[in-house]
Amino acid sequence: MQDMLEPTSGAARDASTVVLLRDTPEGLEVFLMKRSGLSDTFGEAYVFPGGKLDAHDSSPAALAALNEPATALAHRLGEPELHHDTAAALYVAALRELFEEAGVLLSAAAHRPAGVSPADWQAWLAAPAASLDATALVPWSRWITPRMAALSKKRFDTRFFLAMAPSDQIASHDNHETTASIWLKPVEALQRYYRQEIEMAPPQIMSLGHLARYATAADAIRAAQAQLPPCVLPENFEENGTTVLSYPGDPRHSVPARALPGPTRMLVRNKRFVPEGPLESLWS
């Protein structure tokens, strides 16, 4: 972890993340991947599949493969200042990262093309039959890295999408950027983090607390469809010798309206992010 309250450099880079969900007899589960220790961003942390926007994501071939017009996709993100082609490219980035990192291809074709591997993304995308299922992605939230460093000096403007895991595909880590993967119930993932069995960053912690409020994946997706994605730009400060990350709705945050359920601040203790109250405050 970088020292807290250290200024970051440069503008936030556009990025996309996919929160892959599935239902089990025990309840909703979410897919998490462990970043390689060699990664310069969130190394060793458990994250959702995702990454920064690539130049190829806005290519004519990529945008043409989407099964919905760019203007409609842009409308769902709820960012009037964002050009519709850039918005559409963020969907492409989400679909690409999910495929490259987790091996899950959300295609609008009746069947997944045979023999397609994550390394073949650009070649497959250029094929006439390529079809990307943008409608399978539901915009959920937007997280912007604080202007003062928390985990990295790099800043990202990340759009989080919810998606149901296809029943005919198996999500798994790529043994390159990610070294392990697991399906967990949101509360179980948070408990493992609290017991220091796994590492996570604040967006994952808060997102899991949010997901823990839903009984099924369909419930979470319906809730996301019913609103525009909230924008979360944490603001951090020192209070009584403790570093605090505040979220919209907190008395110390510049935005008075809440963006998320749960606590409006996280504390940094022993180089770990924890809620101000009990762990259960994240989901109750």
Side-chain angles (χ1 to χ4, degrees):
M1 183 189 298
Q2 297 285 338
D3 291 335
M4 299 298 294
L5 302 182
E6 183 178 345
T8 55
S9 57
R13 301 188 63 178
D14 287 319
S16 296
T17 283
V18 180
V19 184
L20 199 62
L21 306 176
R22 73 178 184 185
D23 288 318
T24 73
E26 290 74 36
L28 178 155
E29 290 186 342
V30 62
F31 184 68
L32 291 163
M33 313 181 76
K34 185 180 182 181
R35 287 281 185 202
S36 165
L38 300 177
S39 173
D40 61 354
T41 305
F42 308 136
E44 300 288 346
Y46 276 78
V47 299
F48 309 122
K52 61 182 179 294
L53 189 68
D54 187 289
H56 294 293
D57 295 330
S58 58
S59 70
L63 299 184
L66 293 168
N67 67 339
E68 192 158 3
T71 51
L73 297 175
H75 177 72
R76 290 207 193 101
L77 288 180
E79 301 176 41
E81 74 284 358
L82 192 66
H83 191 277
H84 59 265
D85 281 348
T86 302
L90 287 165
Y91 281 79
V92 175
L95 293 163
R96 174 181 54 77
E97 290 285 351
L98 179 63
F99 185 47
E100 291 179 343
E101 290 193 341
V104 173
L105 179 62
L106 300 181
S107 172
H111 302 285
R112 172 176 169 163
V116 177
S117 74
D120 296 332
W121 173 261
Q122 294 301 335
W124 173 75
L125 199 59
S131 181
L132 297 175
D133 191 3
T135 59
L137 299 177
V138 180
W140 187 41
S141 59
R142 178 186 180 190
W143 285 79
I144 304 176
T145 306
R147 295 183 178 90
M148 305 297 282
L151 292 177
S152 171
K153 289 186 178 181
K154 294 183 179 180
R155 296 190 68 215
F156 297 95
D157 186 344
T158 307
R159 284 70 171 189
F160 281 57
F161 297 89
L162 297 184
M164 185 72 78
S167 60
D168 61 343
Q169 298 184 48
I170 298 175
S172 183
H173 53 284
D174 63 5
N175 279 320
H176 175 57
E177 291 187 20
T178 55
T179 58
S181 56
I182 191 170
W183 285 96
L184 289 173
K185 291 187 287 295
V187 169
E188 183 181 357
L190 291 169
Q191 290 170 335
R192 289 194 182 192
Y193 170 76
Y194 207 66
R195 294 195 298 263
Q196 301 188 30
E197 296 172 7
I198 62 176
E199 295 296 330
M200 287 193 294
Q204 281 70 37
I205 296 168
M206 293 294 290
S207 294
L208 287 166
H210 192 172
L211 284 173
R213 297 165 185 268
Y214 300 105
T216 67
D219 290 340
I221 288 173
R222 277 194 295 269
Q225 290 171 330
Q227 65 173 24
L228 291 176
C231 181
V232 185
L233 173 53
E235 296 174 356
N236 42 17
F237 57 90
E238 294 285 344
E239 185 173 80
N240 299 324
T242 298
T243 299
V244 181
L245 271 72
S246 68
Y247 301 106
D250 188 86
R252 289 287 299 268
H253 198 281
S254 61
V255 178
R258 271 181 169 269
L260 302 167
T264 60
R265 58 176 60 183
M266 297 279 283
L267 311 181
V268 181
R269 290 178 175 157
N270 299 320
K271 297 186 176 182
R272 291 174 63 81
F273 297 93
V274 296
E276 190 173 32
L279 179 67
E280 292 77 11
S281 66
L282 286 166
W283 64 81
S284 62

